[in-house]
Amino acid sequence: MRFISYFNVYLSISYIFLLSSCSTVTSSPPPPEITFNIFADTQANSGGLFYFVIHRTNEKQFMSDVYQDIANNIFNESHNLENLGFFSVVPGMNQEFKIIQPSQGSISLYFLLTQPNPEWKKLISMPFQENYDINIKSDNQIYISEHKPWYLWFY
């Protein structure tokens, strides 16, 4: 009789252990990120710090965006749900900034320079790449290219 009760206890514990190991919760994979590798020439923005802003947007909104409105919204204390990132850029340094990729729409990149050129904003539409290289020259010209790993340089 005692053997049967020990056996039942052992069987019950084994059964609970088996069920608990099978009930692992699967978590969804993290949302994909977009990485921006930025290099600003030491004379970009006359050598002064400037801001890099990323918004979720659409083409119509992007076309109507005005420099002063973007700058005011960024430095305003209210939280803008369309804002995906707000970063300080130091000329002469390689910097890397990451955002979570939006599930739909486009993203706009704003470069809040002291003396912006006519191309102070850029639009990137879906499908997004994982990495972008941004090069800002001494005359504040902005060049964006898809990042290529070194082993693809030869293709």
Side-chain angles (χ1 to χ4, degrees):
M1 181 82 169
R2 199 167 203 190
F3 173 73
I4 294 176
S5 67
Y6 283 131
F7 181 72
N8 285 339
V9 169
Y10 175 75
L11 190 61
S12 298
I13 291 173
S14 298
Y15 185 70
I16 291 171
F17 178 73
L18 180 67
L19 287 178
S20 67
S21 66
C22 292
S23 66
T24 58
V25 177
T26 59
S27 61
S28 60
E33 291 183 331
I34 301 175
T35 301
F36 296 95
N37 302 303
I38 297 184
F39 179 75
D41 187 270
T42 56
Q43 293 305 309
N45 199 43
S46 300
L49 177 96
F50 62 93
Y51 297 100
F52 173 52
V53 181
I54 307 170
H55 277 184
R56 178 183 16 249
T57 191
N58 59 46
E59 196 170 321
K60 182 179 178 184
Q61 178 65 41
F62 174 78
M63 295 304 288
S64 65
D65 283 338
V66 179
Y67 184 93
Q68 196 59 44
D69 291 342
I70 297 298
N72 287 340
N73 287 339
I74 291 304
F75 295 111
N76 190 346
E77 294 294 322
S78 64
H79 181 67
N80 183 350
L81 296 176
E82 302 304 313
N83 188 16
L84 298 173
F86 172 62
F87 309 100
S88 300
V89 178
V90 179
M93 292 183 60
N94 285 322
Q95 294 176 275
E96 179 180 279
F97 303 116
K98 294 184 181 208
I99 63 163
I100 294 175
Q101 188 178 110
S103 58
Q104 61 184 0
S106 300
I107 56 175
S108 53
L109 310 178
Y110 303 103
F111 300 88
L112 303 181
L113 302 158
T114 306
Q115 295 179 348
N117 65 22
E119 295 184 17
W120 65 277
K121 60 183 181 176
K122 302 282 186 176
L123 182 69
I124 300 177
S125 300
M126 291 184 95
F128 301 117
Q129 303 299 319
E130 290 181 16
N131 294 292
Y132 290 95
D133 291 332
I134 301 174
N135 194 349
I136 304 165
K137 301 291 185 185
S138 59
D139 60 357
N140 293 343
Q141 289 295 319
I142 301 162
Y143 300 94
I144 299 175
S145 60
E146 179 184 334
H147 178 77
K148 288 186 177 181
W150 67 269
Y151 53 85
L152 292 178
W153 291 351
F154 306 105
Y155 292 100

